[in-house]
């Protein structure tokens, strides 16, 4: 059995999104099999609060930018005290600070978890920080390929898919959510979960809706998430005369309940590292439609767990949605296949692969 490698995980994000859930999964599962694993975060962040609730070790500190040398020294001190061999960075600023801290950690290695499929910047700081890393965990082949295109040695990169685990809804979730949205029991509900930012491609979903509604007048599309493009998307909805057929729900912390109320999950991102929301939907028993963007092609088994549409193509997105909604047998087959497919993306599998990667990096 590979030896246990102590690791320090650095995540400085102030919000709770998919990446933070993955950090929690990883540290939890590493500790479950005997590895020492610790978190460094900012004070008062959702991830720090969740670690404290689960009684997992977390150190908090104020950080003023990625070149905060005092924060780097504090991270190095924690690493030395805990006998850390791996400094595992989970965000961009954490990446730089881990490299700065590692200079004062004997035998320390830096691992960066890369979750986005766009190229790193080409300025001097980025050229240094991306080439100085000892190893990368890429959440999809698409992310790996972008790193290689950016000049990163392929031998430094391991593809480890992000993980999902089933979260049961409340007993009355379907009826309650559909009542909240003003839906009848026979109405159809499409669901999308994602921050209202450009790469999530909500504009393409909205543009597809008139075609879908021409076939299914009893359909509603609900989008759970908030962000900088909310006003722009509201204007698009109004401009297309969609009224309340497309509902922007804002941030929701009851996603399992929303999934229980839906008939189909749709993601129209045009850039995406993997998109575990698709896998969450599959675990919940929903067929999915997704665009062929980045790692989404790895989160959907085309024809088995869902259908893939062309990227940035509202007409094809609409066609795939209509295809599933028009065929109950197809929808049921995709839902069943999706449960089996998504079950392979377990937190235990992710942690096991990452632990083996740690072992390969240390002396």
């Amino acid at each position: 059995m590979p030896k246990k490698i102590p690791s320090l995980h650095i995540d400085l994000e102030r919000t709770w999104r998919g990446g933070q859930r993955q950090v929690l999964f990883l540290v939890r599962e590493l500790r479950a099999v005997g590895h020492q694993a610790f978190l460094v975060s900012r004070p008062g962040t959702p991830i720090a609060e969740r670690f404290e609730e689960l009684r997992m070790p977390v150190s908090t500190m104020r950080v003023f930018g990625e070149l905060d040398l005092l924060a780097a020294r504090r991270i190095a001190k924690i690493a030395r005290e805990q006998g850390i061999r791996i400094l595992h960075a989970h965000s961009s600023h954490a990446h730089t600070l881990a490299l700065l801290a590692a200079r004062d950690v004997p035998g320390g290695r830096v691992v960066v978890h890369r979750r986005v499929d766009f190229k790193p910047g080409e300025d001097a700081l980025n050229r240094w920080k991306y080439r100085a890393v000892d190893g990368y965990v890429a959440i999809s082949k698409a992310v790996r390929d972008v790193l290689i295109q950016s000049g990163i040695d392929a031998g430094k990169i391991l593809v480890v898919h992000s993980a999902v685990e089933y979260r049961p809804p409340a007993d009355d979730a379907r009826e309650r959510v559909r009542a909240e949205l003003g839906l009848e029991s026979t109405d159809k509900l499409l669901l999308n979960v994602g921050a209202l930012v450009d790469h999530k491609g909500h504009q393409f979903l909205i543009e597809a809706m008139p075609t879908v509604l021409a076939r299914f007048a009893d359909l509603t599309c609900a989008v759970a998430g908030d962000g900088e493009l909310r006003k722009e998307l509201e204007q698009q909805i109004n401009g297309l005369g969609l009224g309340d057929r497309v509902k922007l729900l804002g941030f929701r912390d009851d996603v399992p309940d929303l999934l229980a109320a839906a008939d189909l999950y749709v993601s129209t991102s045009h850039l995406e590292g993997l998109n575990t929301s698709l896998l969450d939907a599959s675990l919940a028993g929903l067929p999915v439609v997704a665009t062929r963007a980045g790692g989404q092609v790895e989160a959907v088994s085309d024809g088995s767990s869902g259908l893939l549409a062309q990227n940035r193509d509202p007409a094809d997105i609409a066609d795939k949605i209509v295809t599933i909604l028009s065929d109950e047998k197809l929808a049921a087959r995709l839902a069943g296949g999706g449960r089996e497919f998504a079950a392979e993306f377990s937190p235990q599998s992710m942690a096991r692969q990452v632990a083996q990667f740690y072992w390969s990096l240390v002396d």
Side-chain angles (χ1 to χ4, degrees):
M1 177 182 295
K3 58 186 177 182
K4 305 297 191 291
I5 308 297
S7 56
L8 184 64
H9 298 259
I10 310 168
D11 187 292
L12 305 174
E13 299 303 297
R14 293 184 172 89
T15 58
W16 178 262
R17 293 179 63 179
Q20 287 64 56
R21 184 161 64 131
Q22 295 304 313
V23 178
L24 188 149
F25 282 164
L26 177 57
V27 173
R28 185 191 71 190
E29 296 306 323
L30 287 172
R31 295 181 61 81
V33 293
H35 293 271
Q36 295 183 67
F38 310 85
L39 174 71
V40 168
S41 183
R42 299 179 193 268
T45 59
I47 189 172
E49 293 173 352
R50 282 169 169 81
F51 266 66
E52 290 168 354
E53 290 169 2
L54 293 173
R55 300 183 182 276
M56 296 196 300
V58 54
S59 297
T60 61
M61 63 182 68
R62 296 190 181 279
V63 177
F64 300 95
E66 62 184 316
L67 296 176
D68 186 338
L69 297 180
L70 178 58
R73 286 198 290 270
R74 289 173 176 167
I75 292 169
K77 183 174 184 292
I78 294 169
R80 291 194 302 270
E81 291 173 348
Q82 300 295 339
I84 296 298
R85 297 298 307 277
I86 298 289
L87 290 90
H88 193 145
H90 294 272
S91 63
S92 179
H93 283 190
H95 177 164
T96 308
L97 288 168
L99 288 170
L100 294 173
R103 299 181 302 177
D104 296 322
V105 179
R109 300 288 185 269
V110 174
V111 170
V112 169
H113 223 109
R114 185 73 174 171
R115 296 186 170 90
V116 293
D117 65 337
F118 52 79
K119 282 190 174 184
E122 290 296 332
D123 58 277
L125 175 60
N126 275 299
R127 286 198 300 272
W128 165 71
K129 68 188 268 188
Y130 278 90
R131 285 159 180 75
V133 169
D134 297 291
Y136 285 92
V137 176
I139 66 169
S140 65
K141 295 174 184 177
V143 172
R144 177 200 61 193
D145 292 346
V146 168
L147 286 171
I148 293 172
Q149 292 165 15
S150 300
I152 306 301
D153 180 357
K156 287 186 174 184
I157 307 168
L158 177 69
V159 175
V160 181
H161 288 132
S162 295
V164 291
E165 60 183 12
Y166 179 64
R167 295 180 289 168
D171 291 341
D172 64 343
R174 185 172 178 86
E175 295 77 13
R176 177 174 48 78
V177 170
R178 292 175 74 87
E180 173 195 341
L181 299 178
L183 305 183
E184 301 292 337
S185 60
T186 57
D187 291 348
K188 299 184 184 301
L189 177 62
L190 304 188
L191 179 66
N192 171 281
V193 178
L196 305 184
V197 294
D198 179 75
H199 76 271
K200 291 294 184 180
H202 293 103
Q203 66 270 33
F204 305 115
L205 175 58
I206 294 169
E207 191 174 343
M209 287 309 298
T211 301
V212 177
L213 288 167
R215 290 288 307 275
F216 300 98
D218 61 348
L219 179 142
T220 294
C221 176
V223 178
D226 216 339
E228 61 195 35
L229 294 184
R230 184 181 183 96
K231 288 185 178 179
E232 184 175 322
L233 295 173
E234 287 174 343
Q235 291 172 354
Q236 183 186 10
I237 291 167
N238 293 331
L240 290 172
L242 296 174
D244 64 354
R245 295 295 86 187
V246 177
K247 298 178 183 290
L248 302 183
L249 305 182
F251 175 79
R252 300 285 295 240
D253 60 5
D254 60 344
V255 172
D257 292 355
L258 296 177
L259 291 169
D263 300 295
L264 176 66
Y265 187 90
V266 183
S267 172
T268 53
S269 297
H270 62 87
L271 289 170
E272 196 68 66
L274 182 69
N275 197 348
T276 54
S277 292
L278 288 163
L279 296 166
D280 285 329
S282 292
L283 273 185
L286 288 178
V288 301
V289 169
T291 43
R292 295 180 181 275
Q296 290 198 149
V297 299
E298 297 166 57
V300 178
S301 179
D302 191 24
S304 296
S305 69
L307 299 180
L308 291 171
Q310 294 304 313
N311 200 7
R312 302 173 185 259
D313 189 337
D316 197 33
I317 292 165
D319 179 70
K320 298 301 189 292
I321 292 171
V322 169
T323 295
I324 293 177
L325 293 180
S326 300
D327 189 335
E328 291 184 0
K329 290 184 178 180
L330 172 64
R333 180 172 64 77
L334 295 176
R339 285 194 185 96
E340 294 181 10
F341 178 70
E344 300 177 7
F345 294 73
S346 70
Q348 295 78 19
S349 175
M350 176 178 68
R352 182 173 60 253
Q353 294 175 76
V354 170
Q356 291 171 346
F357 192 44
Y358 290 168
W359 183 75
S360 74
L361 294 174
V362 300
D363 296 333

